[in-house]
Amino acid sequence: MQTKFIFVTGGVMSGLGKGVTTSSIAKLLQLANQKVSCIKIDPYLNYDAGTMNPVAHGEVFVTEDGGECDMDIGNYERFLNQNIPKNHNITTAQVYSSVIEAERKGEYLGACVQIIPHITDEITNRVRKIASDEELDFLIVECGGTVGDIESLPFLEALRQMRVVEGPKNVMFVHVTLAPSLDVVGEQKTKPTQHSVQELRRIGIQPDFLAVRCTVPLEEKTKKKIALFTNVTAEDVLSCHDAKSIFEVPQILYDQGILDSIFTKFGKVGMVNASANWDEWNKIVESMSNHKDQKVKIAMVGKYVTLADSYVSVNHALKHAGAKLKKSVEIDWIDSESIKDYSMLDRYDGILVPGGFGTRGSEGIIKTANYAREKNIPYLGICFGFQLAVIAFGRNVLNLEDVNSTEIKQDAKNPVVDLLPEQKEISDMGGSLRLGGHNIKIKPETMAQKIYGSDSVSKRHRHRYEINKNYIPDFEKNGMIFSAESDGGKRMEILEIPSHKFYLGVQFHPEFNSRPGFAEEVFVSFVEAAAK
Ligand code: GLN
């Protein structure tokens, strides 16, 4: 079986939405009943995204199989409503590590090990292996960075070689560029696209499609001009103008004939009738548009609040829940370090504390968790937000002295949150947290059981610390219940306060399982409580 490959490259500048273009093309092919998946290539030297700062690089997306991945993997999962394994996020570090390891083992004995062919072969082998292991009709590969970057050269060279080896009927390139307008009524400028395509052709890649970002639809004359300079036919110069929601981009591309053009170029006969798929997808996209009259205001309190992308999956999950409940969820990000007067939180229908690490900003979050409890404001704490809610309760309800997590204060007298025992031997920081999907057992007759309608679920994790079990009897006697656990009762997974309007903490990350049309249950219950 021959997989068809579509390689997506980027030009002009970063942040043009290559991930959305990649996901949208994949979605269109999926809607046409093709078996598809996506790969993200990240040309940086981190082995994975786990060691990067979310404020600089965006969220670390955790896969079911425990990968700490680039946030584009989250986009693929949300668009395709399918799990993407961690080997679909390929980095420079992974490629070089494998090659160097093989060299040390003597696998290239006698040879001079070089970028071409050894690094490029390692890249193409990885891409081909995913295509054949998963028996894919189409594999869409997004190459991170911008053409012209030194870092991405070996990857682009590998992809170029794949077109030579697999043939033009099996490989095509989509290049994402920008047509800026200098003022509202101004002309759409084509020069950045021209230059970017020249740069791509200089390294031997002729794009088949151009996906051109612009604010308003690309004019026909602009398409023709771009076509003339880039050797891409005008029909395959696609306008990627601003949309109300990213989930409208598949339709925008479809309306310009991309699917027909892909099938024609790849020599596939006709498209299958997929109207049922389209109806279902359109219903989901429709549900995601705002219900402006019914607002729910959520305060998201944390320390990585300067970049919206730091918690992109949480934002999406709240919107999915809003769509299901026909509410428009508005999110304000509040820096936990800057709150002076906690009564400012009264303005909100609900308070959400997402994941986080380290000391900075944690006192503000602990106070926030306590304020939400005292004022009966719906509260959802995720991972760090779960752990800090326990600290707040220990301090203010149990009135214990010096309550903390050992992550924040190593010698706390009452370490209600402590390092996972298996973490005590670990010194490497990369990929060493408790990661990925773990089964969770939910206690009967609890709010958690009502939320999930089940006594067991599997959820994704990313943490090093956990609730210290020694304190649980005391907490439960005073009204904070631990309603779910994992690893045979060793780990606490969910807390709730039955006397509160809605007070829930989860050790896992429910946001990674939420998808358009399939909102994660915890978010639905939280938004529902906030809307009341
Ligand atoms: N810092 C906490 C831990 O390591 C919480 C992690 C998180 O919120 N993802 O356990």
Side-chain angles (χ1 to χ4, degrees):
M1 177 191 168
Q2 170 70 55
T3 302
K4 308 282 183 189
F5 298 94
I6 299 180
F7 299 141
V8 181
T9 58
V12 184
M13 62 183 207
S14 62
L16 291 182
K18 238 186 342 228
V20 171
T21 307
T22 304
S23 309
S24 298
I25 294 170
K27 185 72 204 178
L28 286 174
L29 290 161
Q30 186 195 51
L31 288 171
N33 285 335
Q34 303 298 307
K35 190 168 183 213
V36 298
S37 196
C38 298
I39 287 179
K40 174 72 192 293
I41 287 174
D42 278 308
Y44 47 64
L45 281 172
N46 300 65
Y47 196 85
D48 57 37
T51 50
M52 275 186 278
N53 185 334
V55 175
H57 190 75
E59 161 187 284
V60 177
F61 186 84
V62 181
T63 58
E64 191 62 33
D65 62 350
E68 295 179 285
C69 294
D70 183 86
M71 61 176 197
D72 277 315
I73 300 289
N75 267 329
Y76 307 157
E77 288 206 354
R78 283 185 286 270
F79 270 84
L80 297 176
N81 187 24
Q82 88 191 17
N83 285 354
I84 305 282
K86 64 180 170 190
N87 64 347
H88 287 227
N89 192 183
I90 302 173
T91 66
T92 296
Q94 291 166 20
V95 171
Y96 274 75
S97 300
S98 298
V99 171
I100 292 167
E101 202 181 307
E103 188 277 333
R104 289 291 80 185
K105 282 192 190 142
E107 283 174 25
Y108 312 115
L109 227 47
C112 169
V113 182
Q114 294 179 299
I115 292 181
I116 303 171
H118 299 95
I119 293 294
T120 46
D121 281 355
E122 176 65 26
I123 296 166
T124 53
N125 287 344
R126 282 175 181 241
V127 171
R128 284 202 181 91
K129 184 169 180 339
I130 289 171
S132 66
D133 284 357
E134 298 179 23
E135 299 179 348
L136 298 169
D137 297 319
F138 283 87
L139 180 53
I140 329 293
V141 182
E142 174 185 354
C143 186
T146 308
V147 60
D149 294 348
I150 290 176
E151 290 185 322
S152 53
L153 273 175
F155 290 102
L156 293 172
E157 168 60 16
L159 301 183
R160 185 196 67 78
Q161 290 178 7
M162 272 187 79
R163 166 130 78 185
V164 177
V165 176
E166 309 278 328
K169 282 257 174 269
N170 298 313
V171 173
M172 66 168 67
F173 282 87
V174 178
H175 190 52
V176 181
T177 69
L178 172 74
S181 313
L182 291 185
D183 56 61
V184 193
V185 287
E187 189 189 2
Q188 292 173 319
K189 297 291 187 187
T190 64
K191 198 66 85 186
T193 298
Q194 292 180 36
H195 279 300
S196 175
V197 174
Q198 272 171 22
E199 187 63 26
L200 198 59
R201 286 164 62 181
R202 201 177 59 76
I203 56 174
I205 297 171
Q206 166 64 45
D208 299 277
F209 288 95
L210 294 175
V212 186
R213 285 286 287 119
C214 41
T215 48
V216 294
L218 208 57
E219 290 173 37
E220 277 315 306
K221 67 167 198 231
T222 319
K223 284 189 175 184
K224 286 200 180 115
K225 188 168 173 191
I226 291 174
L228 193 64
F229 280 100
T230 58
N231 269 358
V232 175
T233 56
E235 298 79 61
D236 294 334
V237 178
L238 305 163
S239 170
C240 292
H241 42 273
D242 289 353
K244 275 208 305 293
S245 130
I246 55 172
F247 299 108
E248 288 174 11
V249 178
Q251 182 77 52
I252 291 176
L253 293 175
Y254 179 80
D255 291 343
Q256 296 175 75
I258 185 176
L259 213 43
D260 272 334
S261 201
I262 289 176
F263 279 94
T264 310
K265 279 190 213 302
F266 280 146
K268 279 210 164 187
V269 264
M271 270 167 47
V272 272
N273 182 359
S275 57
N277 300 347
W278 271 101
D279 288 348
E280 200 186 314
W281 172 246
N282 284 338
K283 244 184 255 156
I284 291 172
V285 176
E286 175 70 18
S287 76
M288 299 286 293
S289 61
N290 278 343
H291 303 272
K292 286 213 168 54
D293 43 328
Q294 304 227 33
K295 281 194 185 120
V296 182
K297 289 200 74 161
I298 303 296
M300 214 145 101
V301 183
K303 76 174 186 190
Y304 310 121
V305 290
T306 47
L307 183 77
D309 276 350
S310 308
Y311 295 115
V312 63
S313 293
V314 178
N315 299 341
H316 276 289
L318 284 169
K319 305 273 174 187
H320 304 158
K324 175 159 184 161
L325 300 163
K326 299 195 172 17
K327 309 274 180 217
S328 146
V329 179
E330 280 188 8
I331 306 161
D332 275 354
W333 294 278
I334 298 167
D335 181 355
S336 57
E337 275 187 305
S338 71
I339 311 179
K340 302 256 159 359
D341 177 5
Y342 285 81
S343 67
M344 61 100 64
L345 294 170
D346 295 344
R347 284 200 301 247
Y348 296 96
D349 304 312
I351 297 172
L352 192 156
V353 174
F357 293 84
T359 308
R360 185 169 64 79
S362 57
E363 281 304 315
I365 298 176
I366 295 167
K367 290 196 180 102
T368 300
N370 192 52
Y371 191 83
R373 185 186 55 78
E374 282 181 352
K375 295 281 171 159
N376 210 22
I377 305 171
Y379 176 88
L380 174 60
I382 296 173
C383 204
F384 207 37
F386 161 82
Q387 298 171 355
L388 298 190
V390 171
I391 297 173
F393 200 84
R395 287 186 189 175
N396 299 289
V397 180
L398 270 51
N399 288 316
L400 296 170
E401 217 184 298
D402 194 22
V403 178
N404 225 324
S405 161
T406 50
E407 177 178 7
I408 297 165
K409 190 168 181 234
Q410 242 177 4
D411 60 348
K413 208 182 268 168
N414 285 296
V416 295
V417 180
D418 202 2
L419 199 60
L420 287 156
E422 60 271 28
Q423 290 280 332
K424 292 191 173 137
E425 310 304 318
I426 291 174
S427 57
D428 282 2
M429 295 299 273
S432 61
L433 290 90
R434 180 174 183 246
L435 290 166
H438 290 274
N439 281 326
I440 293 167
K441 235 177 105 212
I442 302 175
K443 294 193 184 139
E445 285 159 57
T446 56
M447 177 157 89
Q449 205 233 15
K450 247 189 243 133
I451 290 174
Y452 282 116
S454 165
D455 50 17
S456 87
V457 286
S458 170
K459 294 287 163 186
R460 302 183 191 180
H461 295 72
R462 183 171 186 246
H463 65 121
R464 244 182 251 289
Y465 293 81
E466 64 167 342
I467 306 307
N468 182 339
K469 278 187 79 180
N470 298 336
Y471 291 90
I472 289 175
D474 248 11
F475 276 82
E476 297 210 321
K477 240 183 275 154
N478 286 281
M480 180 178 271
I481 306 299
F482 290 88
S483 51
E485 58 192 37
S486 60
D487 294 354
K490 277 197 277 190
R491 318 265 103 92
M492 293 302 110
E493 292 281 354
I494 304 182
L495 69 77
E496 53 194 73
I497 300 180
S499 61
H500 193 279
K501 192 172 170 193
F502 183 98
Y503 201 93
L504 195 86
V506 289
Q507 179 61 76
F508 53 88
H509 289 270
E511 67 271 28
F512 298 134
N513 292 105
S514 193
R515 285 147 190 198
F518 305 91
E520 209 281 343
E521 292 85 343
V522 156
F523 286 91
V524 177
S525 304
F526 171 61
V527 173
E528 197 168 35
K532 271 195 194 134

